[in-house]
Amino acid sequence: MIEVGPSRKLEKVFLAGLYGSDTSAWEIEQSMEELASLARAAGATVAGSEVQKRPAPDPGSFFGRGKVEQLAARAQEAGALALVVDQDLTPAQIRNLEESLGIKVIDRTEVILDIFAARAHTREAKLQVELAQYEYLLPRLTRMWSHLSRTGGGIGTRGPGETQLETDRRTVRTRISALKRQLLSVERHRHLIRERRRSSFRVSLVGYTNAGKSTIMNRLTRSALPAADQPFMTLDPTTRRLHLGPGLAALLTDTVGFVDRLPHHLVAAFHSTLEEVAEADLLLVIVDAAAPGVDRRVNVVTATLEEIGAAHVDRITVLNKIDRVREGIRPLEERYGPNALAVSARTGTGIPALVDLVRARAASMAQPAASPPTAAV
Ligand SMILES: Nc1nc2c(ncn2[C@@H]2O[C@H](COP(=O)(O)OP(=O)(O)OP(=O)(O)O)[C@@H](O)[C@H]2O)c(=O)[nH]1
Ligand SMILES: [Mg+2]
């Protein structure tokens, strides 16, 4: 039986990454640290890590032969039950690595899918994640059955697993169609709500995961949305009313965060959630100004906004967590231009100025209907 879902619990894992020869030590460290935080968010404990620099991955085993041996020894020594790789692997590479290492091999997309599966609460998010999981699984079904069909011999012979594989493919395709149908009906409902909100000034909080979007939302709207030092705390969008003064209000939406190399199946499955971002009147791009690699994260956010068709939306860059920026915010403000504002959602610094900016934008929309009486949000 083919099943996806949040049931899998990653335990002790070993991390590995492969990078081009020109990748700097610092970039590698950032990437591996992010992988560790993704693995932990998926419920794993990290038992160690290894990286390899190589002009290109080995088509068969991804890592070079010597590195595979080293990984096998180190993962075993650490008592790891799985290897988590910072890149995406082909089904054949996963199969070969699993054979060489004797433990499960999980690629970056799979880790992110696991976190999403565990965090999805609403019916829509659950359907979206399940769809992304099945789309990811479909071309990988061979991997699951190859060890069963191997008894049938070499290439061209039909093993007992092969008919099972065909059945499973059909099952997964049927499930994908059913999920798409169910999502369509949920999306229709979302469209109706969106239509109702069209007359309001709509602001979306966007940004790299863990930048502090929900914390800012909580501060601005006196809400208590879950916020924590973990990637992808928020999956389900939440909309709250932000009072801006007499007769003036905005609808503020907190939504799923972005990450470097966000799996395309997830972007596709979350398209209706992300459409909301593209339809906003204003984006507050929340940046963790204290995180290492701020510019890289900002570039990822800019690219993701383009990918989801939101590049045209007016935006304000909000440099958050300035309470933790020791070297001062000036260099960042200079880099991000006059349209950037430094705040701390934790201490409240800069928040009144942020509200002022949003108010000015909302007022300039000059919509008399900007503040409907207690709109359903
Ligand atoms: N020091 C400091 N920490 C902050 C600030 N704003 C948020 N945080 C912390 O940063 C972490 C992430 O905050 P969230 O609000 O959950 O971030 P998010 O962008 O909603 O993250 P996801 O929903 O996971 O994508 C939490 O531990 C917050 O307490 C700030 O201004 N200063
Ligand atoms: Mg959040």
Side-chain angles (χ1 to χ4, degrees):
M1 180 62 199
I2 296 299
E3 264 177 36
V4 298
S7 52
R8 183 172 65 181
K9 184 101 182 97
L10 288 178
E11 292 170 40
K12 210 184 228 189
V13 301
F14 199 85
L15 308 181
L18 188 133
Y19 305 92
S21 318
D22 54 352
T23 318
S24 72
W26 192 79
E27 284 171 307
I28 293 177
E29 193 188 316
Q30 294 310 312
S31 197
M32 290 300 285
E33 257 173 36
E34 183 165 279
L35 183 68
S37 80
L38 291 171
R40 281 192 286 265
T45 52
V46 175
S49 68
E50 273 288 337
V51 297
Q52 179 169 39
K53 272 193 164 189
R54 210 171 194 270
D58 182 279
S61 57
F62 193 68
F63 297 100
R65 190 187 296 262
K67 185 54 83 177
V68 174
E69 280 168 19
Q70 199 183 353
L71 280 171
R74 286 210 57 202
Q76 193 188 23
E77 193 182 279
L81 299 172
L83 180 81
V84 176
V85 181
D86 194 26
Q87 287 74 29
D88 284 337
L89 307 180
T90 65
Q93 286 167 337
I94 296 190
R95 184 172 64 236
N96 293 336
L97 275 174
E98 284 183 344
E99 258 168 38
S100 308
L101 302 176
I103 54 175
K104 194 164 168 43
V105 173
I106 297 163
D107 68 9
R108 187 180 163 94
T109 289
E110 221 178 325
V111 177
I112 296 174
L113 287 172
D114 273 7
I115 305 173
F116 272 62
R119 298 272 163 81
H121 295 302
T122 61
R123 179 169 141 76
E124 183 177 24
K126 283 183 181 156
L127 291 171
Q128 288 169 323
V129 175
E130 204 182 333
L131 175 62
Q133 285 181 309
Y134 276 120
E135 297 268 20
Y136 173 83
L137 185 66
L138 190 58
R140 286 169 176 78
L141 284 175
T142 37
R143 164 190 160 205
M144 300 172 67
W145 289 107
S146 60
H147 60 291
L148 294 179
S149 57
R150 205 174 308 122
T151 46
I155 301 157
T157 36
R158 218 171 237 276
E162 203 137 329
T163 44
Q164 184 61 49
L165 170 63
E166 281 157 11
T167 317
D168 283 348
R169 280 206 179 123
R170 205 170 26 251
T171 311
V172 170
R173 284 206 188 94
T174 311
R175 187 75 194 122
I176 287 175
S177 311
L179 284 165
K180 283 185 174 164
R181 265 197 315 277
Q182 290 171 53
L183 261 174
L184 265 180
S185 81
V186 180
E187 281 163 16
R188 263 197 291 275
H189 176 66
R190 176 182 286 287
H191 275 292
L192 285 177
I193 296 179
R194 274 221 301 263
E195 283 304 316
R196 271 214 304 270
R197 291 175 180 163
R198 214 171 269 283
S199 58
S200 307
F201 186 70
R202 291 159 303 167
V203 183
S204 271
L205 291 158
V206 294
Y208 210 80
T209 184
N210 211 42
K213 299 176 293 296
S214 303
T215 311
I216 289 188
M217 172 89 161
N218 286 340
R219 202 168 248 287
L220 290 175
T221 63
R222 294 188 183 83
S223 308
L225 304 176
D229 194 11
Q230 279 181 29
F232 302 116
M233 265 311 281
T234 308
L235 290 197
D236 306 307
T238 306
T239 300
R240 295 271 190 277
R241 206 174 151 78
L242 172 63
H243 184 67
L244 293 167
L248 198 61
L251 291 182
L252 197 59
T253 300
D254 178 29
T255 192
V256 60
F258 304 152
V259 79
D260 191 12
R261 294 169 278 153
L262 190 62
H264 70 272
H265 289 317
L266 275 176
V267 177
F270 273 72
H271 73 96
S272 68
T273 303
L274 296 169
E275 253 168 37
E276 204 154 326
V277 170
E279 286 184 5
D281 299 303
L282 175 66
L283 300 180
L284 298 184
V285 181
I286 312 301
V287 178
D288 180 346
V294 178
D295 293 347
R296 179 186 65 86
R297 292 176 185 217
V298 168
N299 290 339
V300 168
V301 171
T302 307
T304 312
L305 288 174
E306 263 167 39
E307 192 183 343
I308 63 171
H312 64 284
V313 186
D314 196 13
R315 61 182 91 164
I316 297 173
T317 302
V318 181
L319 303 165
N320 187 33
K321 307 197 191 181
I322 47 157
D323 56 294
R324 287 182 53 202
V325 180
R326 259 179 252 115
E327 59 278 18
I329 203 77
R330 175 82 28 108
L332 283 171
E333 281 184 325
E334 279 169 8
R335 246 184 359 264
Y336 293 107
N339 217 0
L341 183 74
V343 308
S344 166
R346 180 158 291 175
T347 65
T349 310
I351 297 294
L354 176 60
V355 175
D356 286 345
L357 272 181
V358 175
R359 183 184 298 115
R361 301 289 174 107
S364 75
M365 280 273 290
Q367 281 187 344
S371 179
T374 53
V377 292

